[in-house]
């Protein structure tokens, strides 16, 4: 038998939303995905196994063949920026916006490099370049809302959902860079080599998304 189809999931917020979608594909993890330190899980289907990874690690795992397919946010995929990955289904989950935000009432410096605190350094660089501005990126892994407040940065680039985090920290959203939602992501290689396995999944998930959004 060939290697089981390996499906990479992102831990955190998205993982819970992913479970009904797996059920739709007839995949049930053999144990709770959140209850242990395990990273790889067998399922009720001997031909399918699951990996539970950091969200930012899903694209490289899928791109390099560590997994055949996965679920990742568009924000993460934009930052990763690979042309070896396809996004055949927009799952319409975990919707949010990638935005710039500054300290409330403040504007960006009129000239010079802009200090940008973000975990989306590539997205930020591309966005500000499109505005004709160069940036001095400050790569952070969390709590970037604090950076403008303590004078570390002029602006942040981060995902915004309700806007509560910005508000609670004295920031205001400025420019919309991109809309984000969770995507089914498949490597171009797996799309060919595992087509018979993956194509019905894509079809089923597209139907599932239609049904979810019709109600
Ligand atoms: C994201 C983001 C903000 C928050 C925005 O963090 O970094 O902190 O959500 O959501 P809101 O607009 O509804 O307040 P998340 O909770 O995903 O954790 P992370 O910092 O680990 O990415």
């Amino acid at each position: 038998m060939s290697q089981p189809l390996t499906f990479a999931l992102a831990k955190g917020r998205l993982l819970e939303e992913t479970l009904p979608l797996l059920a739709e594909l007839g995949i049930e993890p053999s144990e709770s995905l959140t209850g242990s330190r395990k990273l790889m899980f067998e399922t009720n289907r001997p031909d399918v196994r699951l990996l539970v990874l950091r969200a930012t690690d899903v694209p490289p795992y899928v791109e390099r063949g560590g997994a055949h397919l996965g679920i990742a946010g568009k924000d993460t995929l934009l930052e990763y920026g690979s042309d070896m990955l396809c996004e055949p289904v927009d799952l319409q989950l975990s919707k949010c916006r990638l935005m710039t935000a500054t300290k409330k009432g403040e504007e960006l410096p009129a000239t010079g490099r802009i200090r940008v605190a973000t975990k989306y350094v590539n997205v930020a660089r591309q966005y500000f370049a499109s505005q004709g501005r160069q940036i001095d990126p400050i790569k952070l892994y969390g709590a970037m809302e604090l950076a403008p407040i303590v004078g570390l940065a002029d602006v942040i680039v981060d995902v915004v959902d309700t806007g509560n985090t910005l508000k609670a920290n004295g920031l205001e959203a400025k420019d919309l860079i991109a809309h984000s939602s969770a995507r089914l992501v498949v490597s171009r290689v797996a799309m060919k080599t595992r087509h018979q396995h993956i194509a019905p999944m894509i079809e089923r998930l597209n139907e599932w998304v239609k049904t979810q959004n019709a109600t």
Side-chain angles (χ1 to χ4, degrees):
M1 196 175 94
S2 62
Q3 205 195 18
L5 191 79
T6 306
F7 206 135
L9 307 176
K11 63 179 162 194
R13 241 194 255 206
L14 189 54
L15 189 55
E16 217 154 286
E17 293 189 73
T18 303
L19 293 175
L21 176 157
L22 289 177
E24 181 64 25
L25 296 175
I27 301 168
E28 281 169 33
S30 52
E31 60 186 289
S32 160
L33 298 179
T34 52
S36 82
R37 305 279 298 167
K38 276 177 69 168
L39 303 170
M40 192 191 295
F41 295 84
E42 304 304 320
T43 71
N44 60 320
R45 287 176 53 170
D47 58 337
V48 180
R49 67 182 174 187
L50 306 173
L51 307 183
V52 178
L53 308 173
R54 283 177 82 116
T56 46
D57 290 342
V58 172
Y61 264 78
V62 176
E63 181 188 49
R64 301 299 184 105
H68 299 100
L69 72 174
I71 295 176
K74 182 67 183 173
D75 55 334
T76 307
L77 290 163
L78 283 172
E79 178 62 16
Y80 190 69
S82 169
D83 55 11
M84 288 308 289
L85 297 173
C86 326
E87 298 166 29
V89 186
D90 180 348
L91 298 164
Q92 311 260 343
L93 299 174
S94 284
K95 287 187 186 173
C96 57
R97 291 156 291 153
L98 260 171
M99 301 198 72
T100 66
T102 61
K103 211 164 147 181
K104 199 164 190 290
E106 283 199 357
E107 295 302 326
L108 292 180
T111 56
R113 282 175 179 262
I114 304 170
R115 296 171 306 153
V116 185
T118 186
K119 59 181 170 191
Y120 302 96
V121 169
N122 297 327
V123 169
R125 213 189 291 278
Q126 279 165 25
Y127 173 71
F128 283 107
S130 77
Q131 308 291 305
R133 302 292 306 261
Q134 283 194 318
I135 67 166
D136 176 12
I138 303 157
K139 172 100 179 178
L140 296 178
Y141 294 89
M144 38 224 111
E145 292 83 6
L146 210 50
I149 303 296
V150 298
L152 185 68
D154 303 305
V155 61
I156 66 169
V157 168
D158 199 7
V159 293
V160 178
D161 178 13
T162 60
N164 290 341
T165 309
L166 292 181
K167 202 169 166 198
N169 291 287
L171 302 186
E172 65 185 3
K174 286 274 165 52
D175 299 338
L176 173 68
I177 299 177
H179 287 278
S180 178
S181 54
R183 308 293 163 96
L184 180 75
V185 53
V186 186
S187 73
R188 291 198 186 283
V189 174
M191 205 67 146
K192 287 189 188 134
T193 57
R194 295 297 187 117
H195 186 261
Q196 277 187 319
H197 221 149
I198 292 173
M201 288 184 164
I202 293 174
E203 204 173 310
R204 195 118 183 218
L205 288 178
N206 272 320
E207 284 305 314
W208 181 82
V209 171
K210 263 191 226 156
T211 315
Q212 294 296 306
N213 290 288
T215 51

